[in-house]
Amino acid sequence: MAKERSRKALAELLQRPGNAACADCAAPDPDWASHSLGIFICLNCSGIHRNIPQVSKVKSVRLDDWDDAQVEFMASNGNNVAKAKYESKMPPFYYKPTFLDCQLLREQWIRAKYERKEFIHSEKQEPYSAGYREGFLWKRGRDNGQFLSRKFVLSEREGALKYFNRNDAKEPKAIMKIEHLNATFQPAKIGNPHGLQITYLKDNSTRNIFVYHEDGKEIVDWFNAIRAARFHYLQVAFPGASDADLVPKLSRNYLKEGYMEKTGPKQTEGFKKRWFTMDDRRLMYFKDPLDAFARGEVFIGSKENSYKVLEGLPPSTQGNHWQHGITIVTPDRKFLFACETEDDQLEWITTFQKVISRPMLPQEYAVEAHFKHKP
């Protein structure tokens, strides 16, 4: 009877506001709980909580036995109460991961909240909110693909992230302006669970660098320091904008990545397999996913500006090995692509349609005007 009573009480608690999604990653229908923190969480996050047993004690809502005191503690706390406590001083620029994000981001978010209590004690946010950060990261060599230790310096005052090829080097190997900086975790592509891809514009072309750090906290602190620098830059650039307007602009995950075949502007040469990345309105293609520079970039505007995406290829097309074609029509020319599977084709078309259906912003017209397509 007691078991049944507990189960019923927990089921009712899950219906309360805030408890219907995981407290840490917002995954729907959580069926686990931390009975020491008083929160309902999903299966994936429960695994992370299990690794910090000194802070969090985990149970299944449906499968484990609960005593009355534990159920009462859950009733007097819950996800909204915990959020008000553990996220009370969370800076607006700090990246709050969801269930779609990589394991590293979710783990460091949970550790930052409950183990290190970074959002209760704001002095613990120094590593990413001080406006200056320096340290060593493993960086992938552009030509040989080896990871070598490089010194990185992020300075909001200078408006740049720099890295140096030697510890004693006076001049940086690269200066990346905060204005054009992006960072996104790419563990699978880089082949390291802590792999971070940093991009910046060089001569109006996108340049990629791939880095990691053995310590998960370190690389996530770098990521949030970059977001903080971008946030403070944008606050100055757009003085009237609210935090809610600026936060989505701090870093971007790619809309889609993967292999397609493409042909050149004359559409007479053969199709070549290339790695494609859709980054906002830039469709970039690479010979290899870890190349430093794209072989070419295509600007994808909006339907009001005569951009459109069509399923299939023109009837006269030859030379494609993959059968599932896509044609992108721009004001200047048509771009022809072929996908290996119908699912791939559908995903790419859906991605392109989302971009094309979004009206262009004033600053995007300037990007379009500058755009140099490399055939």
Side-chain angles (χ1 to χ4, degrees):
M1 278 299 287
K3 225 185 235 187
E4 213 36 60
R5 196 173 66 239
S6 296
R7 270 206 194 110
K8 196 173 170 210
L10 288 165
E12 282 170 10
L13 290 178
L14 280 167
Q15 303 309 309
R16 280 194 191 170
N19 292 346
C22 172
D24 296 324
C25 75
D29 307 318
D31 50 7
W32 289 77
S34 169
H35 59 87
S36 54
L37 294 170
I39 54 172
F40 292 96
I41 53 178
C42 70
L43 175 63
N44 280 340
C45 290
S46 76
I48 298 169
H49 278 260
R50 261 203 198 90
N51 290 332
I52 41 172
Q54 68 281 15
V55 174
S56 188
K57 302 275 189 285
V58 175
K59 275 190 176 192
S60 165
V61 171
R62 292 181 178 82
L63 304 176
D64 288 328
D65 292 340
W66 289 71
D67 62 39
D68 289 347
Q70 288 168 343
V71 175
E72 279 166 28
F73 185 75
M74 295 301 296
S76 59
N77 286 278
N79 291 3
N80 285 349
V81 169
K83 182 178 178 175
K85 176 182 177 181
Y86 289 104
E87 298 178 31
S88 62
K89 294 181 180 171
M90 188 181 113
F93 59 77
Y94 194 96
Y95 188 79
K96 186 173 179 176
T98 73
F99 58 93
L100 299 172
D101 282 298
C102 64
Q103 172 81 4
L104 172 72
L105 275 170
R106 287 182 288 114
E107 181 186 348
Q108 288 304 319
W109 161 240
I110 287 167
R111 286 183 179 275
K113 257 203 295 190
Y114 308 116
E115 186 181 38
R116 300 192 291 267
K117 298 187 172 64
E118 286 177 21
F119 313 124
I120 294 176
H121 309 292
S122 44
E123 68 276 7
K124 294 189 174 183
Q125 298 165 18
E126 182 81 8
Y128 44 82
S129 62
Y132 181 87
R133 183 177 172 88
E134 68 172 71
F136 288 87
L137 296 172
W138 292 98
K139 178 193 165 290
R140 188 179 189 273
R142 190 176 86 184
D143 302 319
N144 61 11
Q146 279 185 315
F147 280 88
L148 297 168
S149 179
R150 294 287 179 252
K151 182 182 171 185
F152 281 77
V153 175
L154 176 69
S155 168
E156 285 188 17
R157 194 172 50 77
E158 293 178 32
L161 172 67
K162 301 182 283 194
Y163 79 87
F164 299 81
N165 264 357
R166 292 194 324 277
N167 296 355
D168 58 351
K170 298 278 186 287
E171 294 302 314
K173 175 72 176 159
I175 299 172
M176 306 165 240
K177 286 190 176 147
I178 285 167
E179 179 186 358
H180 301 302
L181 207 54
N182 186 41
T184 173
F185 279 97
Q186 294 279 356
K189 187 160 84 174
I190 295 170
N192 184 292
H194 301 170
L196 184 70
Q197 180 172 351
I198 296 172
T199 60
Y200 62 102
L201 285 184
K202 187 174 179 180
D203 306 326
N204 207 44
S205 290
T206 304
R207 163 84 158 97
N208 296 321
I209 63 170
F210 302 96
V211 297
Y212 72 88
H213 195 287
E214 299 96 330
D215 185 312
K217 178 185 184 299
E218 281 287 311
I219 197 72
V220 174
D221 283 351
W222 271 105
F223 175 64
N224 280 303
I226 289 169
R227 285 177 57 89
R230 297 248 326 132
F231 182 63
H232 298 136
Y233 163 78
L234 290 169
Q235 279 182 317
V236 174
F238 303 100
S242 68
D243 289 359
D245 291 333
L246 298 181
V247 166
K249 297 180 170 67
L250 302 186
S251 61
R252 304 179 304 281
N253 291 328
Y254 300 134
L255 301 178
K256 182 164 169 57
E257 289 196 290
Y259 284 107
M260 289 193 288
E261 292 183 333
K262 69 165 285 295
T263 185
K266 297 191 183 69
Q267 295 161 13
T268 50
E269 56 264 55
F271 277 71
K272 289 182 178 140
K273 182 177 162 186
R274 294 287 180 254
W275 177 265
F276 283 82
T277 298
M278 188 77 224
D279 181 13
D280 200 25
R281 288 195 185 274
R282 285 175 185 258
L283 177 65
M284 300 173 278
Y285 53 91
F286 304 85
K287 196 169 181 183
D288 182 274
L290 297 176
D291 282 348
F293 289 100
R295 289 296 175 103
E297 305 190 34
V298 181
F299 182 85
I300 312 278
S302 64
K303 59 176 185 281
E304 293 86 355
N305 298 81
S306 308
Y307 289 83
K308 60 183 175 189
V309 57
L310 307 170
E311 185 183 330
L313 299 169
S316 59
T317 310
Q318 293 177 330
N320 49 307
H321 305 99
W322 291 347
Q323 298 311 305
H324 306 281
I326 300 173
T327 302
I328 291 185
V329 182
T330 77
D332 301 324
R333 57 170 277 203
K334 287 179 179 171
F335 292 90
L336 309 185
F337 307 110
C339 302
E340 189 172 16
T341 67
E342 202 173 328
D343 284 352
D344 266 357
Q345 178 196 37
L346 183 62
E347 282 177 24
W348 277 111
I349 287 174
T350 305
T351 303
F352 293 143
Q353 279 171 338
K354 273 185 194 154
V355 174
I356 286 169
S357 63
R358 204 174 73 218
M360 274 167 64
L361 302 168
Q363 59 268 37
E364 290 175 333
Y365 284 97
V367 176
E368 184 188 38
H370 273 125
F371 221 84
K372 301 183 183 79
H373 168 68
K374 302 180 205 64

